[in-house]
Amino acid sequence: MPPAKKRPRAYDVTRTRTAVLAQFAHVRDAVRTLTPEQLALPGLGEWSVRELVAHLTMALERVSRAMELPEPAGGPKPEIALLEWPFSTAGNAEGIAGHTRELAAAHPDLVALYEETAARFTELVPADGGATDRLVATRGGTMRLGDFLVTRTVELVVHTDDLNRATGLGIPCDRQALAACTRLLADALADRAPGGSVEVRIPPFAVVQCIGGPKHTRGTPPNVVETDPLTWIRLATGRTLWAEALGSAQVSASGRRADLAASLPLMG
């Protein structure tokens, strides 16, 4: 019998919305300081820093655009559950890349683009949490607004880290945004590789059990993986390879089953 899957973690939509805006504000403050030379640097893959910066605005704009449209038909059940979202993103890469280049070319004033994006999001996304269960259209299918906002913390935190590595900036991560991002990707791992033989610890935000085998119930687990949130996020998104993280002591793994290589990355 396959291991039973746990109920999805609950997120407070008001706190998530606040975290999304806070992280976006951190990036906006950094964008104000970027020089033309920095904007021309390699950013992510084939994107320049300018294109990466423009892409970050899409994290909020996708929500704003969805809220302007009528609620999609076919509810009340969404087409994509929150834990399915990380695995649904790879097929959208080509369309996202094209839109990103168009966006960067169409907005020479990136600071103005950030101001407009934040203002639209603030106006269109309710602050009181009243629309949590409203369905919104995403690239992969309909999602509940509350769930879609959690995915925005992943987009913002991951690409903030990309921007820091490309430019040498030290853009901070909002604690709540970092926590939501870490927890969603940890829960996605447990969903992809259900079981109780390995305990994955990402202090101070998440602990999950995964991978089939003998289940640990008390005392010190025989198979433990532990790392920090940023390293975990890089592993989950393919920025860092499992073997590389182990070799550089960014991850500690004890026990013969404590190997996540076959389950990573979660997002392409």
Side-chain angles (χ1 to χ4, degrees):
M1 180 180 297
K5 293 189 177 183
K6 297 180 181 179
R7 295 182 62 182
R9 190 189 302 264
Y11 294 84
D12 182 285
V13 67
T14 301
R15 292 182 68 190
T16 305
R17 178 186 181 275
T18 299
V20 166
L21 283 170
Q23 188 58 40
F24 193 75
H26 286 321
V27 179
R28 179 186 57 202
D29 290 345
V31 169
R32 291 192 177 105
T33 72
L34 290 172
T35 65
E37 291 75 20
Q38 287 174 309
L39 289 169
L41 291 170
L44 176 65
E46 296 182 355
W47 291 347
S48 66
V49 167
R50 165 176 282 280
E51 289 166 334
L52 175 57
V53 166
H55 176 75
L56 268 154
T57 67
M58 292 166 58
L60 271 65
E61 181 57 24
R62 292 292 305 172
V63 186
S64 301
R65 190 177 305 172
M67 292 298 290
E68 285 182 320
L69 300 173
E71 186 168 6
K77 185 176 180 180
E79 294 170 337
I80 301 179
L82 181 56
L83 292 184
E84 296 171 337
W85 176 81
F87 314 122
S88 72
T89 58
N92 302 322
E94 186 174 344
I96 291 172
H99 186 190
T100 294
R101 294 188 181 94
E102 292 172 4
L103 187 64
H107 292 85
D109 188 343
L110 291 171
V111 174
L113 174 62
Y114 269 70
E115 297 290 355
E116 294 165 8
T117 301
R120 273 173 50 78
F121 182 91
T122 302
E123 177 186 357
L124 292 167
V125 181
D128 60 4
T132 302
D133 292 326
R134 183 195 191 278
L135 292 185
V136 293
T138 76
R139 287 182 180 273
T142 58
M143 294 185 74
R144 292 190 175 93
L145 174 62
D147 289 345
F148 195 38
L149 287 176
V150 178
T151 72
R152 303 303 84 192
T153 68
V154 177
E155 291 285 337
L156 288 168
V157 169
V158 169
H159 289 314
T160 295
D161 182 45
D162 291 332
L163 186 55
N164 279 337
R165 288 188 290 160
T167 62
L169 295 173
I171 307 169
C173 280
D174 173 79
R175 180 179 174 83
Q176 181 62 29
L178 182 61
C181 175
T182 301
R183 289 166 181 158
L184 173 54
L185 293 175
D187 290 345
L189 170 68
D191 189 69
R192 167 175 278 188
S197 70
V198 179
E199 184 166 285
V200 180
R201 301 171 179 173
I202 313 160
F205 299 130
V207 177
V208 297
Q209 292 189 343
C210 61
I211 302 178
K215 185 175 181 180
H216 170 73
T217 56
R218 65 176 63 183
T220 303
N223 302 284
V224 177
V225 171
E226 184 165 337
T227 190
D228 63 276
L230 203 53
T231 297
W232 165 242
I233 290 165
R234 291 172 181 172
L235 285 166
T237 59
R239 269 65 174 176
T240 299
L241 299 178
W242 175 254
E244 176 187 344
L246 276 179
S248 60
Q250 294 174 288
V251 170
S252 65
S254 59
R256 65 184 184 87
R257 293 179 180 270
D259 185 347
L260 304 183
S263 301
L264 298 173
L266 304 173
M267 298 177 65

